[in-house]
Amino acid sequence: IIFVFLTGCAQNNPSNQISVKELKEKISTADSSIIILDVRTLEELNGPLGKIEGAVHIPVQEIEKRYRELDKYKDKNIAVICRTQNRSSSAADFLRSKGFNAVCVYGGMQEYSRK
C-alpha cells in the first residue's frame, strides 16, 4: 500500500489527471459537471496554500471510510487535489475502483496557488 501512496499523477495514465489550468478553466466557467475533492489534512487545508472555495474535504486517511459521502456525485467528474499530487493520485485511483469518475490534479495545490 505504501507504493500506491508514493506514485503520483505523472506516473499514471494521462486520462486519469487534469492540469491546474484545465481545472481553473472549469471553475471559471462554473462547470457544474466537476466536483473538487481536497484530500489534504485539516491543518494543510487551513495552511498557507489555502483552499478552493466549494471543494469537498475528505482527508486521504479517511477516504476508504467516507467515500460513500460522494455517492451523490457519481454522475459528476471528481477532480481530486492535495498538496503536490501524490495523495490525490491514490485517492483518485481508489474512487475509480468504486465506480467514480475521478482524476487527480497534476501539481496539486502547490501548482494551483502559483498561477
Side-chain angles (χ1 to χ4, degrees):
I1 194 162
I2 291 173
F3 174 75
V4 171
F5 284 99
L6 294 178
T7 58
C9 286
Q11 297 168 349
N12 285 340
N13 181 331
S15 67
N16 293 339
Q17 58 186 295
I18 186 173
S19 71
V20 166
K21 180 181 177 187
E22 291 171 302
L23 179 62
K24 286 188 173 190
E25 286 171 3
K26 290 182 180 294
I27 291 170
S28 71
T29 61
D31 185 339
S32 63
S33 71
I34 193 157
I35 300 299
I36 302 165
L37 173 63
D38 194 320
V39 295
R40 296 177 296 159
T41 64
L42 187 57
E43 292 78 19
E44 288 176 295
L45 196 68
N46 294 317
L49 293 177
K51 54 188 166 186
I52 300 172
E53 187 176 335
V56 175
H57 177 242
I58 301 176
V60 73
Q61 300 87 343
E62 300 174 17
I63 198 77
E64 288 186 29
K65 293 178 192 167
R66 296 180 54 195
Y67 77 93
R68 289 288 193 195
E69 294 173 30
L70 302 171
D71 280 349
K72 60 187 168 193
Y73 305 121
K74 278 262 184 162
D75 64 332
K76 307 279 186 185
N77 296 309
I78 301 175
V80 187
I81 196 165
C82 66
R83 187 174 60 86
T84 58
Q85 85 260 342
N86 291 329
R87 291 170 287 172
S88 59
S89 179
S90 61
D93 287 345
F94 173 77
L95 291 174
R96 280 192 304 277
S97 78
K98 298 297 183 184
F100 292 89
N101 298 317
V103 294
C104 122
V105 179
Y106 185 76
M109 286 301 293
Q110 283 185 334
E111 184 72 18
Y112 186 90
S113 65
R114 271 186 261 211
K115 297 186 175 199

